[in-house]
Amino acid sequence: MSTYANHPLINFAKWILLFLVFTPFVVDTSVFFPYIEGKTVFLRAVATISLILLATFLIFSRPNQRKEFLTEKWHLLRNPLSILTALFLLSAGISTFFAKDSFRAFFGTVERGEGFVGLVFFIFIFYLALLLFGRKEWLWFLGAVAVSSIIFLLHQITQLASASWDFGLRPFATLGNPSLL
């Protein structure tokens, strides 16, 4: 067993990252339609907290724990998919720099949470999951995604059966916009 596997910062970072499963259930109707901003803030907060915890572990852990973690995870970062993801981010950054409206290309729009900043957060989540999750955590995550999807589906069916929504004959579950389903 590795010396870093049961480190509290690593375990907490894993659990925080597992909270991403609850993203579809975050609803904030006080923001612009289609109510995505609450989900965007939640995603970015989870990624940031998890990244801070991992960085804290790498800075303040014992040298043997840090070396073991980096040695064990280095091959994941050399994986072709990881390299292509980094190259894609670089390409998107260059495109953002040369965009006609570079401000919007960088920050995106409030109601969508897209743009280069949004892409960076999604790629942070990818790399954090790659570095933090082992087989057990991936099984937990995929199982939790399956359970949350079933709950989401049941909520949609309940909306469809009760016809208690304002968008006509299309359920929207907790997304606030039927087009996003």
Side-chain angles (χ1 to χ4, degrees):
M1 177 118 183
S2 59
T3 59
Y4 70 85
N6 289 326
H7 195 282
L9 289 171
I10 293 291
N11 286 333
F12 194 47
K14 288 178 188 180
W15 278 104
I16 292 291
L17 208 54
L18 285 170
F19 279 141
L20 289 174
V21 172
F22 298 114
T23 304
F25 303 107
V26 174
V27 177
D28 185 6
T29 56
S30 67
V31 297
F32 295 115
F33 178 81
Y35 315 122
I36 299 299
E37 191 174 356
K39 292 172 183 22
T40 302
V41 169
F42 179 75
L43 273 170
R44 291 178 183 182
V46 166
T48 302
I49 292 168
S50 192
L51 184 65
I52 289 170
L53 288 169
L54 180 61
T56 304
F57 166 76
L58 291 173
I59 292 168
F60 295 111
S61 63
R62 291 189 296 246
N64 65 329
Q65 288 178 322
R66 181 175 35 248
K67 183 179 179 185
E68 183 181 355
F69 178 83
L70 293 173
T71 303
E72 188 174 311
K73 301 298 182 175
W74 182 247
H75 76 281
L76 295 173
L77 296 175
R78 290 189 340 217
N79 182 319
L81 183 61
S82 296
I83 294 168
L84 288 174
T85 304
L87 290 174
F88 174 72
L89 185 63
L90 177 66
S91 170
I94 292 169
S95 298
T96 299
F97 182 74
F98 290 110
K100 181 177 179 182
D101 185 359
S102 58
F103 183 82
R104 178 155 294 178
F106 186 76
F107 289 109
T109 59
V110 170
E111 60 271 357
R112 293 283 182 202
E114 53 200 16
F116 183 71
V117 171
L119 184 63
V120 166
F121 274 99
F122 283 122
I123 290 176
F124 275 167
I125 291 169
F126 166 72
Y127 282 118
L128 286 167
L130 190 68
L131 292 174
L132 294 173
F133 286 178
R135 180 175 173 77
K136 180 178 76 170
E137 290 83 10
W138 278 113
L139 291 174
W140 269 86
F141 185 74
L142 295 175
V145 166
V147 169
S148 70
S149 297
I150 290 169
I151 293 169
F152 203 70
L153 175 68
L154 292 174
H155 186 67
Q156 290 174 20
I157 290 171
T158 303
Q159 277 185 335
L160 190 59
S162 68
S164 65
W165 63 88
D166 299 328
F167 292 102
L169 297 175
R170 295 172 59 198
F172 55 88
T174 60
L175 296 179
N177 187 350
S179 301
L180 297 175
L181 287 179

